[in-house]
Amino acid sequence: MSFEPRTKDFTLSPYTGLTRESWLEAASYIIDGVFAHIKKFDDPVVVARQETEISYPHKNIPPDRFEAERRAEIFEGLTRTLFIAAPLLKNTPDYQVNGWKLADYYKAQILRTCSRGDAVSAGSYEDLQDVTGHSDPFRTFQQTVETCALVICLDISRAEIWETYTKEEKDTIASFLSGYAHASTVPQNWRLFNMLDMAFLHKEGYPVDEEIMADHAQAILGYYAGNGWYRDGQSFDYYSCWAFNVYAPIWNVWYGYKNMPYVAQKFEDNSNALMRTYPDFFDADGWMTMWGRSNIYRFAATSAFDGNFFLRHPAANPGLARRIASGAMMQFLSRDDCLPDGVPTLGFYRQFTPLVQGYSCAESPFWLGKAFLCLDLPADHPFWTAREENGSWETMKAGEVKETVLDGPALCFTNHQANGTTVLRTGKVVKTASDEHGMWNYSKLCFCSKYPWESAPSSDVESQQYVLTDVTSGAIQKANATFWAGEKNGVLYRRQFFGYRLEDETHWIQAMNLADFPVANGIIRVDRHRLHRRPVSFTLGAYGFPDNGTRVERKERGGARAILLSGTDSSGRKKQMAMTVWGGWQQLDVLKSSGTNPDSTGSLVPYARTTLRKQYGGAEPYVLVSQVITRESGEPFGEDELFPIEGIIFSDKFRVGSYGPVRIIFTDGSERVVDFDGIEGRLSL
């Protein structure tokens, strides 16, 4: 069932109508949905599982491990729903569910979770090592993640929960927290969990090891890549926004400003750097893009704005921040399929197993509650009182495209005024060749705010990915590594390797040099293959198109071919997509699929195919030119939108683009030059 706010004010919020009261209503909507599944006061926050093959507690594991995972799930359900309940309680202390005071329920469950021997105890770090038989000092547990959520929410609901405990009860909770705070952690964003645990304990007068704190802090600073983004492990993704740029500002307030001012200032500077471009990461409706791991956390991506406002000198625009936060929240809560029975699915919209990761449980999606940290800001804060703005979308001219290129995190995102979408192109990606989920999350050529990525509709066709098939052996390879070469003269350059392995010499690895640039409604690709093992066939897919009754058309002009799709998504929004190919592409078709699209059960994927049969070169094509454009309305594409290219001029005598610049001449008389010379020296990972 979708959420419909009762309170709206289109004078203060001309884009969404949502106000602070609307957000409180949304928090109530989610909390009431959760507690519809909790029958008794002593029952923990555990909801029914919609998926049992991937998420934890995992089947067919030893009983001791299963018990540890069961305890982690209980703890996760408690703390992540508390992200929503704590700010709700701060604003409505007497809030009731099922005839109980919400504060009483969480107060009891928190204490039980932190108490040894209780049926819902999460288990101390030391106890879990004993239970699992791993006395390894480097052993980590999911509980470390949830302790950080707990301390944040205890601070928010200080008057309603924390201050109502006795000294003995506080000591019990503090002892539990200290064990995880000082124990081993994962060397990436997890370090912040330990830092927040220690900062909370220090603030409450409990002893902490400040040398451990300093070691974590220097490591977090070391992950910084520029433009507000941190590298999380190997990758860049929303963890930079809903972890680094939320937890670091809170740490500043609790500990850093006073005790480590240099580090605190760096964290503040980095958050403010993110705010200079992060608003353009969202589209004209405030929608976020499905990209990276943990997509089940959804609009938690907007919590970076909340984190910025916790700082002493925030740089975020409050009216724009609220507009984006409200738009992203309604991207999901306005749909019937996102929270069936009041509980968010393990999916982006509907239940969607291809994006589920093994570290998630049924309660993990409540991480989206981090977006509700904005309710910790007082009612008179500019975040709530400023009039909504829509940033770049208000100033762009008709048909204009705004492009942002960030070389540090290897992110290029374009705002397309014509269709209101934001398209993201990424680099600096390495996944193992067998990691399909990793490639879907990170290795797509483009990620679009209105077209969430599609998993494999067939073995040799992927949406927004090249797939290679060895004609001789039938072996299939997918792009598992993307190197970044940056932007030059309006063209973004990257290279993708197929079946990349670090131990191999890269010149033996099949690769595609990528060159792409935006047009009003999408992206044009002028890619040059670097394939030495032939014969080989390769495909390139467009976005997955939700199939709820789709009209498919084909058109041709001057040797170029196009496929047009028109229909609606599952929420009834009109959609159009067109894929056009020129030159070296031999085939253009559309593939029908089921169960591979996050929006709809059925989907269609337009794709192009070419086969290279000669061992070396000849007159076979080297350059593949294509375009994918979209429109969020019923207005048909014009001929010059479908076929914007008048001519393609190659430098080599074979006229297949094997070397030298490629000139793209457009029907309006303009041109774009694609030149791969020098890409080798600019590649970075």
Side-chain angles (χ1 to χ4, degrees):
M1 184 174 67
S2 64
F3 164 68
E4 178 61 37
R6 298 185 302 274
T7 305
K8 290 188 177 182
D9 182 348
F10 286 98
T11 300
L12 179 65
S13 303
Y15 291 97
T16 68
L18 271 62
T19 65
R20 195 169 191 273
E21 186 60 35
S22 310
W23 273 78
L24 286 168
E25 291 169 6
S28 299
Y29 165 77
I30 296 175
I31 288 297
D32 289 349
V34 171
F35 279 87
H37 300 269
I38 301 173
K39 305 304 180 185
K40 296 184 296 185
F41 185 86
D42 289 337
D43 289 346
V45 184
V46 175
V47 299
R49 296 182 71 177
Q50 298 175 338
E51 184 280 328
T52 60
E53 297 298 319
I54 301 171
S55 59
Y56 83 88
H58 297 100
K59 298 191 302 182
N60 304 320
I61 59 174
D64 56 348
R65 283 187 56 199
F66 185 88
E67 176 64 14
E69 290 188 1
R70 184 191 71 84
R71 291 177 180 274
E73 180 187 19
I74 291 172
F75 195 19
E76 195 161 334
L78 175 70
T79 59
R80 297 195 178 195
T81 57
L82 197 53
F83 270 136
I84 307 166
L88 182 61
L89 283 171
K90 183 174 182 177
N91 288 275
T92 317
D94 294 325
Y95 196 90
Q96 293 204 351
V97 290
N98 298 346
W100 324 314
K101 286 186 66 175
L102 188 64
D104 290 344
Y105 175 84
Y106 277 103
K107 177 183 177 180
Q109 290 291 327
I110 291 168
L111 185 59
R112 292 181 64 195
T113 295
C114 300
S115 299
R116 277 181 167 171
D118 194 284
V120 299
S121 171
S124 69
Y125 182 87
E126 297 78 13
D127 288 345
L128 284 184
Q129 283 207 322
D130 291 341
V131 168
T132 57
H134 292 279
S135 57
D136 179 356
F138 302 106
R139 175 74 171 168
T140 59
F141 300 97
Q142 179 66 31
Q143 280 85 336
T144 299
V145 181
E146 309 315 323
T147 57
C148 182
L150 178 58
V151 297
I152 291 172
C153 295
L154 283 175
D155 192 70
I156 292 173
S157 59
R158 173 173 296 275
E160 295 74 30
I161 297 178
W162 177 247
E163 294 298 350
T164 67
Y165 287 124
T166 65
K167 174 65 165 61
E168 181 181 14
E169 290 169 337
K170 286 183 178 180
D171 290 347
T172 296
I173 296 170
S175 176
F176 169 83
L177 292 171
S178 183
Y180 288 100
H182 293 92
S184 182
T185 194
V186 180
Q188 30 115 299
N189 73 81
W190 276 45
R191 289 180 180 268
L192 286 158
F193 307 148
N194 301 64
M195 290 168 64
L196 265 291
D197 288 351
M198 285 189 279
F200 179 81
L201 292 169
H202 181 271
K203 188 159 63 84
E204 297 304 314
Y206 293 95
V208 298
D209 189 323
E210 298 195 61
E211 291 185 5
I212 293 178
M213 177 81 87
D215 185 71
H216 287 317
Q218 64 81 26
I220 292 294
L221 275 186
Y223 302 151
Y224 185 66
N227 306 110
W229 291 83
Y230 297 79
R231 191 190 291 268
D232 186 47
Q234 165 58 38
S235 304
F236 296 93
D237 50 35
Y238 284 118
Y239 275 88
S240 195
C241 308
W242 58 41
F244 290 93
N245 281 296
V246 173
Y247 295 136
I250 295 174
W251 179 85
N252 274 12
V253 175
W254 289 0
Y255 184 89
Y257 282 135
K258 181 178 180 181
N259 298 284
M260 298 181 69
Y262 176 85
V263 174
Q265 186 60 54
K266 286 293 185 180
F267 285 154
E268 182 169 299
D269 293 345
N270 296 347
S271 175
N272 284 334
L274 180 71
M275 293 300 108
R276 285 193 281 274
T277 58
Y278 194 48
D280 286 333
F281 216 70
F282 299 83
D283 72 14
D285 294 317
W287 285 23
M288 62 174 288
T289 300
M290 182 174 160
W291 159 68
R293 67 189 181 100
S294 301
N295 285 292
I296 58 174
Y297 301 164
R298 301 172 171 97
F299 59 99
T302 66
S303 59
F305 295 108
D306 307 336
N308 188 253
F309 286 119
F310 296 150
L311 296 166
R312 286 178 176 174
H313 304 290
N317 177 325
L320 176 57
R322 190 178 79 254
R323 185 271 176 278
I324 293 172
S326 295
M329 179 174 71
M330 294 307 294
Q331 175 184 355
F332 301 97
L333 297 194
S334 65
R335 293 177 61 115
D336 290 328
D337 57 358
C338 191
L339 276 78
D341 300 321
V343 176
T345 63
L346 284 170
F348 195 64
Y349 295 124
R350 64 187 182 89
Q351 180 73 20
F352 187 58
T353 302
L355 66 70
V356 179
Q357 277 116 357
Y359 55 77
S360 294
C361 63
E363 296 74 27
S364 294
F366 287 108
W367 180 290
L368 60 80
K370 294 179 76 172
F372 289 89
L373 292 176
C374 61
L375 288 170
D376 193 35
L377 301 171
D380 60 356
H381 190 279
F383 182 87
W384 298 115
T385 61
R387 188 174 185 271
E388 274 188 351
E389 302 178 27
N390 210 18
S392 299
W393 300 101
E394 292 182 340
T395 58
M396 294 170 68
K397 299 176 183 177
E400 183 181 351
V401 177
K402 180 181 179 181
E403 184 168 68
T404 302
V405 181
L406 307 179
D407 285 324
L411 302 174
C412 176
F413 41 101
T414 48
N415 306 127
H416 298 255
Q417 186 279 333
N419 58 16
T421 66
T422 293
V423 176
L424 171 65
R425 291 168 283 161
T426 66
K428 299 186 179 180
V429 175
V430 176
K431 299 297 173 184
T432 60
S434 61
D435 184 7
E436 273 197 318
H437 288 78
M439 287 182 269
W440 296 332
N441 284 320
Y442 295 96
S443 287
K444 298 289 189 182
L445 298 171
C446 294
F447 297 88
C448 182
S449 61
K450 290 296 193 289
Y451 292 86
W453 60 253
E454 175 127 358
S455 61
S458 74
S459 60
D460 65 341
V461 174
E462 291 267 16
S463 71
Q464 284 297 331
Q465 286 181 270
Y466 282 103
V467 180
L468 305 187
T469 301
D470 185 297
V471 173
T472 303
S473 67
I476 293 174
Q477 287 188 316
K478 299 180 182 181
N480 63 317
T482 307
F483 286 57
W484 179 264
E487 183 268 345
K488 183 176 71 174
N489 298 326
V491 179
L492 181 69
Y493 294 91
R494 298 172 287 170
R495 175 180 294 161
Q496 285 199 324
F497 289 98
F498 300 86
Y500 177 85
R501 297 191 308 167
L502 191 61
E503 62 267 31
D504 289 345
E505 165 60 50
T506 58
H507 289 285
W508 287 100
I509 304 175
Q510 302 281 67
M512 188 76 69
N513 284 340
L514 309 175
D516 37 69
F517 52 87
V519 290
N521 288 285
I523 301 291
I524 286 181
R525 315 201 54 77
V526 185
D527 300 332
R528 176 181 286 163
H529 74 75
R530 210 192 74 170
L531 305 174
H532 67 92
R533 287 196 293 272
R534 308 178 193 172
V536 63
S537 175
F538 51 90
T539 60
L540 171 64
Y543 303 112
F545 192 86
D547 185 16
N548 298 291
T550 305
R551 180 183 179 187
V552 180
E553 300 176 80
R554 298 173 184 267
K555 291 190 176 184
E556 293 188 18
R557 188 170 85 174
R561 290 160 290 164
I563 284 182
L564 292 76
L565 308 180
S566 57
T568 66
D569 65 14
S570 292
S571 61
R573 293 173 63 109
K574 291 182 179 179
K575 304 181 79 67
Q576 291 185 80
M577 180 192 299
M579 183 176 190
T580 307
V581 296
W582 290 263
W585 289 109
Q586 298 165 353
Q587 177 187 353
L588 181 63
D589 212 334
V590 62
L591 181 66
K592 189 176 182 65
S593 185
S594 178
T596 60
N597 187 280
D599 177 271
S600 300
T601 300
S603 59
L604 299 172
V605 181
Y607 71 97
R609 184 190 300 273
T610 282
T611 301
L612 304 177
R613 298 198 175 276
K614 294 185 178 180
Q615 175 66 30
Y616 294 108
E620 292 189 319
Y622 280 79
V623 170
L624 294 308
V625 182
S626 63
Q627 172 187 262
V628 175
I629 55 176
T630 66
R631 177 165 285 159
E632 302 301 295
S633 72
E635 179 188 353
F637 288 116
E639 286 290 305
D640 285 345
E641 291 177 304
L642 294 172
F643 304 104
I645 296 176
E646 183 72 27
I648 302 171
I649 302 176
F650 300 118
S651 300
D652 64 285
K653 68 177 183 179
F654 297 107
R655 302 192 63 76
V656 290
S658 60
Y659 57 80
V662 179
R663 291 176 59 204
I664 307 297
I665 312 299
F666 293 97
T667 55
D668 64 3
S670 64
E671 68 176 68
R672 191 71 62 102
V673 176
V674 173
D675 187 357
F676 289 101
D677 288 352
I679 186 176
E680 198 71 42
R682 301 196 307 273
L683 293 175
S684 63
L685 193 60

